[in-house]
Amino acid sequence: MRPRVRTNTLTGYAGLARGSGLDPAALMAAVGLDIADLDVPERWIPGAPVARLLELSAQQAGRPDFGLRLASLRRLGTLGPLSVVLREEPDLRSALDLLIRYESTYTEPLRLRLRESDGRATLEMWLEFGEPAPHAQALDLGMAALTGIVRTLVRSDWEPLSASFARPAPPDPEPWRAVFGPGVLFERDYTGVVFRDQDLRAAIVAADSSLRPYTQQFLRTVVAPADATDASEVADVEETVELLLPLGRHGIAQVSRYLGLRPHALQRYLADRGETYSSVMNATRARLAERYLPNERYSLTEVSQMLGFGAPSAFSRWFRQQFGTSATEWRRQARSGMPAGSTPDAAHVDEPAEPGGGG
């Protein structure tokens, strides 16, 4: 099944599109979505078409900041049931831990990772659609939504020390500075925000400690995915493979040693969870390939090296076997914003009238 997002992700989309001179129903139909789905906020829809919709809307409206504008229409409740729990966490660290742990309960393609070093915290963000799809507008939406969540929880004027984007720099960066502050950087190695680690200790302004036992029960019974424990167990192995891949030290003996296990013990551990070392390796490489390919700072040779292949030709063969297409074609499709087999005419929507109003 393709990774899905809840229709809450498109909260405010129809009004913003119309205010930008667009026909939201026609645009959604062009990418295989139905505007009627927006009337059911908790409905799950495929994530890649949503990313294509945002990119197509930005292009046709002539508004590179379309994703930022859409994020401004969101509220904490857009996260669904998880928003109830977030408001009662004691501090920002606890709230971010929940956002990371239960990311798939509000949008399946989203991945978040928090790193702390030298008095600073970096929250990275990327998307895994499982197919070629544009990332720029979707990540703009996610980054601005994340910043809005932090401001709602701890302080309305909060700003990150910096906000980095893997996307190319827009013609006018001012809308990004208006959302994230002056420390906006484009064409970086990753997309994410950097802030002082002391911000992690900031209290949630609306938290009521007397309610936390009830919200934790709500978390366990309503929010938490049923397979969260099993997934987290295999994730430890995946993270180790990801760490060692670019170093060329990703054989099962080296990964086992890093985890403090013997190779046979690691094989049994994975087998008990329905996995093999080969399946974990391929899944990890596939996730990383999708993360790196949209970032054109990386050549295909550099991507192959980061995925632990000894030669670009080995990466090319593996990629075609894994995805049924070449890495070059995948990158082209992600850039064009349309799936394989589509033509420009298939995504054409009548030219919009002169934009009216704001959005």
Side-chain angles (χ1 to χ4, degrees), residues 202-224:
I204 303 301
V205 294
D208 181 343
S209 59
S210 69
L211 296 177
R212 196 155 188 258
Y214 304 106
T215 58
Q216 290 301 299
Q217 178 64 24
F218 183 76
L219 176 66
R220 290 188 294 270
T221 58
V222 177
V223 179

Side-chain angles (χ1 to χ4, degrees), residues 10-134:
L10 292 173
T11 295
Y13 169 77
L16 177 60
R18 293 189 188 100
S20 302
L22 304 176
D23 181 341
L27 283 165
M28 292 186 71
V31 298
L33 298 174
D34 187 343
I35 195 170
D37 286 336
L38 300 186
D39 294 329
V40 187
E42 295 294 330
R43 177 166 292 171
W44 288 92
I45 56 178
V50 172
R52 297 184 190 113
L53 174 68
L54 297 177
E55 205 72 28
L56 187 60
S57 300
Q59 292 169 2
Q60 296 216 2
R63 288 182 166 172
D65 62 336
F66 192 89
L68 301 183
R69 290 170 177 261
L70 187 59
S72 71
L73 304 176
R74 294 166 65 108
R75 297 295 180 267
L76 189 61
T78 306
L79 291 174
L82 187 61
S83 61
V84 176
V85 183
L86 289 178
R87 293 179 65 92
E88 303 306 332
E89 288 300 294
D91 52 39
L92 183 58
R93 180 189 293 278
S94 298
L96 292 179
D97 284 346
L98 285 182
L99 283 174
I100 295 168
R101 183 177 181 187
Y102 298 110
E103 56 198 11
S104 63
T105 66
Y106 53 93
T107 178
E108 291 178 344
L110 181 66
R111 298 292 180 268
L112 298 169
R113 176 180 293 165
L114 183 65
R115 300 184 183 277
E116 298 176 61
S117 177
D118 300 326
R120 295 189 175 187
T122 301
L123 186 62
E124 296 183 38
M125 175 184 295
W126 67 94
L127 299 164
E128 296 175 4
F129 293 113
E131 60 184 279

Side-chain angles (χ1 to χ4, degrees), residues 138-163:
L139 283 174
D140 283 355
L141 171 61
M143 285 277 284
L146 174 67
T147 302
I149 290 169
V150 176
R151 288 172 177 159
T152 297
L153 294 177
V154 299
R155 198 176 72 243
S156 61
D157 62 347
W158 180 85
E159 284 186 353
L161 292 173
S162 64

Side-chain angles (χ1 to χ4, degrees), residues 241-272:
V241 171
E242 179 179 336
L243 175 68
L244 298 180
L245 271 174
L247 304 178
R249 295 160 45 199
H250 50 274
I252 187 169
Q254 293 157 314
V255 171
S256 300
R257 188 179 308 118
Y258 190 94
L259 290 167
L261 299 170
R262 293 183 181 275
H264 289 307
L266 177 57
Q267 289 173 329
R268 287 196 302 271
Y269 177 86
L270 293 174
D272 289 344

